Amino acid sequence: MTYTTHDTVTDERTDLLEALAKQRYFLRFTTRDLTDEQAGQRTTVSELCLGGLIKHVTSAERNWADFIRNGPTAMPDFTAMTEADFARRADEFRMLPGETLSGVLAEYAEVARRTDELVAALPDLNAAHPLPKAPWFEADAQWSARRTLLHITAETAQHAGHADIIREALDGAKSMG
């Protein structure tokens, strides 16, 4: 499927990747000129920090891209997770000792590159898999590759908004406005 806008013809994959790239940019932009210490600093009552948000979005994008390739077996069975599993998952949301902002951003860039390559190479955006088992997913639902990419974009945008609030509370800098 192709679309024409302002004398430019784009295909659906290009549109999906451009939308995702824009949200990735806004998320990364919130970390501009920060030290590692600032990237790990909590600035609200939330446990979230900027470096942790980047780590979480990286992990989520990696997992959802694996879901597109391999189906629900690529994802954790959230219904069987233990307290220790949830504690490890919570580490996604904070900068751990030895982690650097540059390292977190480099990992995010690598995952983004691999996702972009996957989207370009997919034979069919309609190919679907059943969702993994989780209390927040509708039972027996399936998502196409397209729907999964839209979810990755929405999650990235949501967390870019969180990051903007955290950054403004940190030092007054804003992504927009």
Side-chain angles (χ1 to χ4, degrees):
M1 180 177 294
T2 59
Y3 305 94
T4 303
T5 308
H6 304 290
D7 298 324
T8 302
V9 177
T10 62
D11 65 15
E12 182 179 19
R13 291 167 203 267
T14 301
D15 288 343
L16 288 168
L17 289 174
E18 284 180 5
L20 180 54
K22 182 177 184 178
Q23 299 312 315
R24 287 174 179 148
Y25 167 80
F26 281 120
L27 179 59
R28 285 189 319 267
F29 188 66
T30 63
T31 66
R32 70 196 177 283
D33 303 323
L34 292 181
T35 65
D36 294 337
E37 181 181 342
Q38 289 171 311
Q41 187 176 339
R42 291 177 46 206
T43 62
T44 68
V45 296
S46 168
E47 292 288 327
L48 299 176
C49 67
L50 291 170
L53 275 175
I54 301 284
K55 285 175 56 178
H56 169 67
V57 172
T58 301
S59 176
E61 184 169 326
R62 180 187 304 111
N63 287 342
W64 284 113
D66 286 347
F67 171 80
I68 290 170
R69 281 186 212 90
N70 303 309
T73 59
M75 304 284 277
D77 179 353
F78 293 103
T79 62
M81 288 180 72
T82 66
E83 283 186 39
D85 294 328
F86 279 108
R88 277 190 298 279
R89 192 167 194 273
D91 284 343
E92 283 182 5
F93 293 93
R94 48 185 163 258
M95 296 279 289
L96 299 176
E99 291 180 329
T100 64
L101 179 58
S102 63
V104 167
L105 289 168
E107 179 66 17
Y108 186 40
E110 177 59 22
V111 167
R113 183 191 64 74
R114 288 193 310 256
T115 300
D116 292 352
E117 288 176 353
L118 170 66
V119 173
L122 282 174
D124 183 7
L125 290 173
N126 292 318
H129 296 292
L131 286 174
K133 293 181 192 272
W136 47 85
F137 289 133
E138 179 183 336
D140 302 320
Q142 292 194 7
W143 279 4
S144 66
R146 177 186 300 100
R147 174 65 184 91
T148 304
L149 290 166
L150 291 169
H151 177 74
I152 292 169
T153 303
E155 183 157 335
T156 304
Q158 179 181 16
H159 290 310
H162 296 147
D164 198 37
I165 291 167
I166 293 168
R167 179 62 191 259
E168 187 173 358
L170 179 66
D171 65 3
K174 298 178 187 178
S175 296
M176 299 206 272

